[in-house]
Amino acid sequence: MADRALIAVVDDDESVRESLPDLLREFGFAARTFASAEEFLASGYAGEARCLILDVALPGMSGRDLQHELRRRQQTVPIIFITAHGDEALRPRMLEQGAVECLFKPFNDTALLGAIQAALQDK
């Protein structure tokens, strides 16, 4: 189990935090979930996570704020943004700012797995 890549999920939506870990485990990854950016930062898992699945719109510190804070701390973890807001202009901006992918909810399993595989290749 120790050799399975840890994927961290930060989303304020409880249904996402409950369903994504099961899917990630089916893909062969270890998973940890967090309800907020602040909870993730306080957990100490930022240095262990091989990939971060991060909601754009979070209460308090947003997903983009967390991305900037991780950079400030020089903690490089590939980020896959997820969002329920279907603004097509958002995706190119997120990619320009260093995200591996930006998926619109609901996304399919294949798209998520492809994004994770790309993230793990980048790291």
Side-chain angles (χ1 to χ4, degrees):
M1 180 174 301
D3 61 350
R4 295 190 317 162
L6 174 64
I7 310 296
V9 178
V10 180
D11 199 309
D12 60 320
D13 183 337
E14 186 175 356
S15 66
V16 171
R17 291 194 314 273
E18 289 177 354
S19 62
L20 264 186
D22 292 338
L23 179 60
L24 293 169
R25 287 183 194 102
E26 283 182 32
F27 290 157
F29 302 110
R32 296 280 305 193
T33 62
F34 305 91
S36 69
E38 294 86 353
E39 181 184 349
F40 174 69
L41 287 173
S43 73
Y45 280 99
E48 289 185 42
R50 296 272 317 278
C51 177
L52 177 59
I53 299 173
L54 178 59
D55 192 7
V56 173
L58 294 167
M61 180 184 277
S62 74
R64 292 166 77 175
D65 292 341
L66 176 56
Q67 180 186 36
H68 295 301
E69 179 61 19
L70 290 170
R71 273 198 198 124
R72 189 189 71 73
R73 295 180 182 200
Q74 298 181 349
Q75 293 178 304
T76 56
V77 57
I79 296 174
I80 299 167
F81 278 107
I82 56 176
T83 183
H85 306 286
D87 177 7
E88 287 296 328
L90 179 67
R91 185 176 184 278
R93 285 197 314 264
M94 298 308 229
L95 297 177
E96 285 173 13
Q97 293 175 7
V100 173
E101 185 57 91
C102 182
L103 301 174
F104 296 100
K105 297 176 186 176
F107 45 83
N108 67 46
D109 299 357
T110 305
L112 179 62
L113 181 57
I116 292 169
Q117 288 171 336
L120 296 179
Q121 287 177 353
D122 287 350
K123 184 150 180 154

